[in-house]
């Protein structure tokens, strides 16, 4: 079967990924375990609540570095928590897992919907009021 553009060109190998972190930091390899999978990234959990995201494909490394720069710019400027980058390499980033819980539509009371809506509105207003230098290419509107 032919390889598709979204297929990973790197296997999910926690030990190999931990060695990449060790090479990048000059420290010991953290003990990593598979945590989640995204479209472009592997997510592994490490000690002390640190999550490590690794690009699944070499072509995604630049996007991960751009996201790292943007998250560093946004740190402390928004009314809700966002990942705070603690460590970043050529093809990975690491941050503490955010506290909270996943929202499920059918579990939201009308009062909670109003609260979440207000918090999300405030977050989006604050986000769109910021003007970072040039974190990446601007999206063109159609």
């Amino acid at each position: 079967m032919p390889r598709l553009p979204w297929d990973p060109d790197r296997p999910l190998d926690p030990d190999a990924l931990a060695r990449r972190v060790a090479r990048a930091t000059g420290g010991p390899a953290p003990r990593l375990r598979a945590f989640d999978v995204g479209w472009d990234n592997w997510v592994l959990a490490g000690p002390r609540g640190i999550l490590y995201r690794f690009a699944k494909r070499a072509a995604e490394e630049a996007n991960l570095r751009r996201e790292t720069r943007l998250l560093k710019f946004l740190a402390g400027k928004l009314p809700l928590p966002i990942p705070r980058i603690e460590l970043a390499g050529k093809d990975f980033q690491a941050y503490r897992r955010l506290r909270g819980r996943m929202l499920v539509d059918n579990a939201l009371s009308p009062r909670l919907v109003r609260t979440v809506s207000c918090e999300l509105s405030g977050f989006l207003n604050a986000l769109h009021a910021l003007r970072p230098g040039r974190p990446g290419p601007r999206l063109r509107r159609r």
Side-chain angles (χ1 to χ4, degrees):
M1 186 162 159
R3 188 167 132 33
L4 299 171
W6 53 82
D7 287 342
D9 57 20
R10 300 166 174 173
L12 174 57
D13 180 345
D15 293 333
L17 296 174
R19 287 191 297 273
R20 289 212 309 249
V21 172
R23 279 194 301 275
T25 63
R31 184 178 164 99
L32 301 179
R33 64 178 172 75
F35 180 77
D36 203 355
V37 178
W39 183 262
D40 295 322
N41 303 285
W42 302 116
V43 182
L44 290 94
R48 296 179 308 282
I50 302 291
L51 295 180
Y52 293 81
R53 288 182 55 219
F54 293 86
K56 284 183 175 179
R57 296 173 291 285
E60 295 304 322
E61 288 178 5
N63 288 334
L64 195 62
R65 288 191 301 271
R66 185 173 20 259
E67 179 183 305
T68 297
R69 288 191 308 273
L70 181 60
L71 285 170
K72 286 181 177 183
F73 169 79
L74 295 173
K77 296 177 179 153
L78 297 171
L80 294 173
I82 61 169
R84 182 175 234 106
I85 301 298
E86 296 199 8
L87 176 66
K90 182 181 88 154
D91 64 343
F92 75 91
Q93 59 183 211
Y95 49 83
R96 290 202 184 284
R97 184 175 180 182
L98 296 176
R99 293 177 52 188
R101 64 177 199 237
M102 187 180 307
L103 291 176
V104 180
D105 289 345
N106 60 3
L108 299 179
S109 68
R111 182 177 178 184
L112 187 54
V113 168
R114 281 190 301 279
T115 300
V116 170
S117 298
C118 288
E119 288 180 0
L120 182 58
S121 173
F123 177 86
L124 292 173
N125 283 330
L127 177 65
H128 289 283
L130 296 173
R131 298 288 178 243
R134 292 204 64 216
R138 293 185 60 83
L139 298 176
R140 281 183 246 161
R141 294 186 181 201
R142 297 179 188 203

